């Protein structure tokens, strides 16, 4: 199968199961116009995250890596009226684009975009005694994934679901020749998931409009 066929199947599914959505389409257009890289999740992946958060009954969601707020719109839509999404972004320009996109999508009241290095922001949330999160999406600089996990576990409760994006990256995760920091970070993240008796995890590969990649999914044991 070719990458072209993966695209065609994604289009086929998206036409039927995701549909056109002005707020999401506008968010991607505004992000492109502002010069952001199109490294947001695909539409059917965004809906997958939305469904996971719905299935989980999540009321408090944490996202690490906002970009233009595309996945944040999906996650915010999964929340009940009094739900909250906290999303962390290092690049001020990205955070500004995200805030505008979230406002245009009508979800600003549920979302707080916090600017800064996510490790610092997470430490501040911990120090401030933030309430535990029900659902966490880790999608920033993959080299820091093990450090994000350490902090996220302190901001979690039994039953918290943790999803990490981009754990495959064209197969590099399992290719010993790939020693880039981001790939090493993903490997260490997966190893820590495996070693922590408090966690149950799996990882699934995906192909589609965003190439060959995958998600790791974890639940904190109750
Ligand atoms: N979740 C988004 C995509 C995120 S792309 C979506 O699917 O729509 C990754 C984002 O993480 C980028 O915007 C990048 O600026 C941000 N990022 C990278 N390193 C970071 C760090 N150390 N702290 C906070 N954000 C970071
Ligand atoms: C990159 C980052 C992502 O979060 C993603 O989904 C795809 C690509 C990147 O940094 O290249
Ligand atoms: Mg990603």
């Amino acid at each position: 199968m070719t990458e072209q066929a993966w695209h065609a199947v994604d289009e086929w599914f998206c036409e039927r199961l995701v549909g056109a959505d002005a707020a999401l389409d506008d968010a991607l257009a505004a992000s492109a116009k502002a010069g952001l890289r199109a490294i947001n999740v695909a539409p059917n992946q965004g809906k997958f995250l939305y469904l996971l958060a719905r299935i989980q009954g999540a009321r408090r969601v944490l996202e690490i890596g906002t970009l233009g707020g595309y996945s944040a719109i999906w996650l915010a839509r999964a929340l009940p009226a009094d739900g909250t999404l906290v999303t962390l972004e290092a690049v001020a320009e990205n955070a500004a684009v995200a805030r505008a996109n979230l406002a245009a999508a009508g979800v600003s009241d549920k979302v707080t975009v916090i600017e800064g290095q996510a490790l610092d922001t997470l430490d501040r949330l911990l120090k401030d005694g933030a309430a535990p999160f029900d659902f966490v999406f880790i999608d920033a600089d993959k080299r820091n994934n093990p450090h994000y996990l350490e902090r996220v576990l302190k901001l979690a409760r039994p039953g918290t679901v943790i999803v990490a994006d981009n754990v495959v990256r064209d197969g590099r995760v399992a290719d010993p020749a790939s020693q880039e920091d981001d790939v090493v970070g993903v490997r260490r993240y997966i190893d820590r998931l495996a070693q922590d008796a408090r966690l149950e995890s799996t990882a699934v590969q995906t192909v589609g409009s965003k190439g060959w990649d995958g998600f790791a999914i974890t639940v904190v044991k109750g």
Side-chain angles (χ1 to χ4, degrees):
M1 285 295 263
T2 62
E3 193 131 358
Q4 202 184 343
W6 304 345
H7 273 263
V9 173
D10 255 8
E11 257 177 49
W12 196 88
F13 282 141
C14 286
E15 263 173 44
R16 283 159 183 81
L17 299 174
V18 185
D21 184 300
L24 288 164
D25 298 345
D26 290 353
L28 290 184
S31 298
K33 202 173 165 207
L36 273 54
R37 292 170 64 211
I39 55 174
N40 52 276
V41 294
N44 47 342
Q45 294 177 332
K47 190 157 185 186
F48 177 70
L49 295 172
Y50 159 89
L51 286 169
L52 285 178
R54 285 286 303 268
I55 291 163
Q56 154 76 347
R59 307 180 77 80
R60 281 180 57 77
V61 176
L62 173 66
E63 175 179 70
I64 306 176
T66 315
L67 191 68
Y70 183 78
S71 53
I73 295 172
W74 277 111
L75 289 168
R77 286 180 176 178
L79 293 168
D82 61 346
T84 306
L85 167 66
V86 176
T87 180
L88 316 183
E89 176 55 52
V91 177
E93 292 80 4
N94 296 358
V97 173
R99 286 193 185 101
N101 284 335
L102 289 158
V107 294
S108 293
D109 53 329
K110 292 179 185 173
V111 185
T112 309
V113 182
I114 307 182
E115 278 175 45
Q117 291 295 320
L119 286 176
D120 298 337
T121 312
L122 290 166
D123 284 340
R124 195 165 352 111
L125 287 169
L126 278 165
K127 199 161 153 259
D128 294 347
F133 291 94
D134 307 311
F135 187 97
V136 182
F137 181 47
I138 304 179
D139 190 21
D141 48 341
K142 280 48 184 177
R143 71 198 63 195
N144 274 317
N145 275 14
H147 310 298
Y148 293 143
L149 180 64
E150 185 196 326
R151 286 156 178 83
V152 162
L153 290 177
K154 293 181 189 156
L155 290 163
R157 57 158 176 89
T160 294
V161 171
I162 306 166
V163 177
D165 194 22
N166 310 114
V167 299
V168 175
R169 302 312 293 274
D170 297 305
R172 288 197 283 282
V173 68
D175 175 4
S178 290
Q179 292 298 335
E180 308 99 279
D181 290 346
D182 285 350
V183 173
V184 170
V186 169
R187 279 188 202 129
R188 290 201 178 126
Y189 177 82
I190 299 289
D191 284 338
R192 288 189 194 182
L193 295 182
Q195 287 154 10
D196 194 323
R198 293 169 296 176
L199 306 177
E200 289 189 295
S201 303
T202 191
V204 289
Q205 303 184 65
T206 56
V207 294
S209 59
K210 298 287 172 179
W212 174 24
D213 220 318
F215 294 108
I217 303 183
T218 296
V219 65
V220 179
K221 279 192 197 172

